[in-house]
Amino acid sequence: MVSTFCTLFDSKYLDKGLALYWSMQQHIVDFKLYIFAFDDKSYEVLSELQLENVIVIPLKDIMTTTLRKLQEERTRAEFCWTCTPIVIEYVLLKCKEKICTYIDADIYFFANPNIVIQELLDARCSVGIVRHGFERNYRYGELIFKVGKYCVEFNTFLNNRESLQVLEKWKTDCMNWCYYRCEDGKLGDQKYLDQWRLEYSCVHESQNLGAGVAPWNLHLYTLLVNRKGNIWMQYKDKRFKLIFYHFEGMKYLSNGRIHLGLWDYCKVGTGKKVKLLYGQYLKKIKLIRGFLASTYGIDFEDMVADKKQVLGKESLIKQFVMADGLFQGFSRWIGYRHNGSKKG
């Protein structure tokens, strides 16, 4: 089965987008990837590279008068979120693909994701969604309320009537409201997904724990073994193979370090997981950035975040101690120094 995917990014995300593609080449036997290039530079580079199994589509091909107006009104990120259902619809209707899975540009595959897509087909459903997988603690309800139960990161749509009905509703919702703030039960393109299983019988929630491991839930899983290129993890009594990891929230800082954006970096075993997952990813990103700099003169200086804006103006140890008390605060600071930040 040839798996069809789509993603979108501009030149500021070229490093992540190319790392995503490389991981697909490594782990997916047969695939087709539609990349929607959201600026001229990304389109130029991607077109020149002529990547195998990739179809590059310029932003102008999906633009309408309404979208041009929204592009002026919304931030870069908000506009990308607005366009998520639009690019999926383009692949299904304009390119006439039978099925399409949207993937975020900052995910990275560690195994073939076809098992997740097949799960949807076996359930005889038309739309596939993936949970955030937040820890079920005292903050769970708050997080679901603010950012939603489901994550827009790996979303599959079949080209049929019921799927296109969900997609059309999502597109209309995003065109009407798609902002980076929590308002009236909405947040970006994401909170809309919470209603789908209530409103549509064709929507399937993936049960595969290997789809959706991310900084917000990495601490919940135990690393078992890295065998023959497969990473096996465990959650309670369930063992699973890691399908993809979402490197969301990772920022290159002005002090030369990389903030990984982990939600909990103090659990025993976190260092091993960070070394394995982030080690591989950051190594690939470094190689890609070097290639883009030497070949196309592209740097990512404008993507460097100010250390004070990310970490705060006060010293980290003082922040941790003030928030969690002397002993726990100091322990969390040590955890951050070892697991939450890496050299650039």
Side-chain angles (χ1 to χ4, degrees):
M1 177 179 75
V2 178
S3 300
T4 302
F5 301 89
C6 71
T7 190
L8 60 88
F9 54 85
D10 59 20
S11 55
K12 298 181 187 298
Y13 254 62
L14 256 176
D15 54 344
K16 296 180 176 67
L18 290 174
L20 165 64
Y21 168 75
W22 184 88
S23 73
M24 297 175 76
Q25 285 282 80
Q26 291 295 110
H27 296 289
I28 309 176
V29 177
D30 242 342
F31 74 92
K32 186 186 295 185
L33 174 63
Y34 288 87
I35 299 179
F36 290 79
F38 267 42
D39 62 9
D40 292 338
K41 190 64 177 179
S42 61
Y43 181 73
E44 173 194 334
V45 172
L46 291 167
S47 298
E48 187 173 317
L49 288 176
Q50 296 185 348
L51 301 173
E52 185 180 5
N53 304 320
V54 168
I55 299 94
V56 185
I57 299 174
L59 177 60
K60 65 180 179 61
D61 282 15
I62 66 167
M63 287 298 274
T64 62
T65 302
T66 302
L67 274 181
R68 289 189 181 91
K69 186 173 184 296
L70 292 178
Q71 187 179 28
E72 295 175 358
E73 297 172 354
R74 298 178 182 179
T75 66
R76 170 174 159 264
E78 290 168 347
F79 181 68
C80 287
W81 298 338
T82 301
C83 292
T84 304
I86 294 171
V87 302
I88 302 169
E89 182 184 64
Y90 185 98
V91 173
L92 294 176
L93 298 185
K94 296 286 187 182
C95 305
K96 302 186 185 305
E97 296 290 353
K98 294 180 179 179
I99 184 171
C100 180
T101 300
Y102 168 79
I103 48 178
D104 260 0
D106 55 356
I107 73 170
Y108 188 88
F109 290 103
F110 289 89
N112 193 327
N114 281 353
I115 188 174
V116 183
I117 299 170
Q118 189 60 50
E119 179 190 334
L120 167 69
L121 300 177
D122 291 343
R124 298 184 181 277
C125 289
S126 301
V127 177
I129 54 179
V130 176
R131 288 176 301 221
H132 269 113
F134 293 127
E135 183 176 7
R136 289 182 175 271
N137 58 13
Y138 68 96
R139 292 192 62 207
Y140 181 76
E142 176 191 354
L143 291 170
I144 295 299
F145 176 78
K146 285 185 175 180
V147 302
K149 182 178 180 180
Y150 302 103
C151 184
V152 178
E153 58 180 349
F154 187 97
N155 305 87
T156 302
F157 289 81
L158 272 65
N159 193 347
N160 61 27
R161 183 185 57 81
E162 56 186 10
S163 173
L164 292 173
Q165 183 182 5
V166 178
L167 192 57
E168 177 64 28
K169 178 63 162 59
W170 191 23
K171 181 178 76 170
T172 301
D173 286 338
C174 288
M175 296 277 279
N176 289 336
W177 194 99
C178 191
Y179 299 96
Y180 189 24
R181 62 177 183 265
C182 184
E183 181 179 301
D184 297 329
K186 302 187 291 288
L187 175 70
D189 60 348
Q190 193 156 269
K191 281 275 286 177
Y192 296 119
L193 277 62
D194 282 8
Q195 300 301 314
W196 288 1
R197 294 187 71 223
L198 300 175
E199 298 175 0
Y200 306 99
S201 61
C202 64
V203 179
H204 175 72
E205 175 188 297
S206 177
Q207 301 302 301
N208 193 314
L209 290 173
V213 182
W216 51 81
N217 58 35
L218 181 62
H219 60 282
L220 301 178
Y221 308 124
T222 302
L223 177 64
L224 296 178
V225 66
N226 178 19
R227 181 186 298 152
K228 295 181 180 179
N230 292 318
I231 297 172
W232 287 89
M233 308 182 88
Q234 182 168 332
Y235 175 68
K236 296 182 178 178
D237 61 344
K238 298 178 181 178
R239 297 189 174 197
F240 62 92
K241 181 166 63 175
L242 177 63
I243 306 297
F244 66 83
Y245 186 84
H246 194 164
F247 287 89
E248 197 273 338
M250 194 179 78
K251 299 183 185 300
Y252 286 76
L253 302 181
S254 53
N255 63 352
R257 297 189 68 85
I258 304 169
H259 174 71
L260 304 186
L262 301 179
W263 283 32
D264 190 330
Y265 24 74
C266 296
K267 290 288 180 70
V268 175
T270 298
K272 290 182 179 179
K273 289 179 283 187
V274 166
K275 184 177 180 180
L276 181 60
L277 303 182
Y278 284 86
Q280 181 176 150
Y281 188 66
L282 291 173
K283 186 181 296 183
K284 184 58 61 178
I285 291 289
K286 185 175 182 179
L287 288 172
I288 291 170
R289 284 190 166 195
F291 165 75
L292 291 173
S294 61
T295 309
Y296 297 101
I298 296 176
D299 62 48
F300 295 87
E301 291 301 317
D302 53 349
M303 294 297 287
V304 174
D306 183 80
K307 174 190 172 185
K308 292 180 179 179
Q309 289 184 342
V310 175
L311 303 179
K313 296 180 180 180
E314 301 286 347
S315 70
L316 270 182
I317 188 170
K318 182 177 179 180
Q319 290 181 58
F320 282 122
V321 168
M322 289 179 66
D324 301 308
L326 178 59
F327 296 107
Q328 187 177 352
F330 183 72
S331 176
R332 283 177 54 77
W333 176 75
I334 292 293
Y336 175 80
R337 292 295 298 172
H338 282 287
N339 302 322
S341 171
K342 295 297 173 187
K343 291 182 180 180

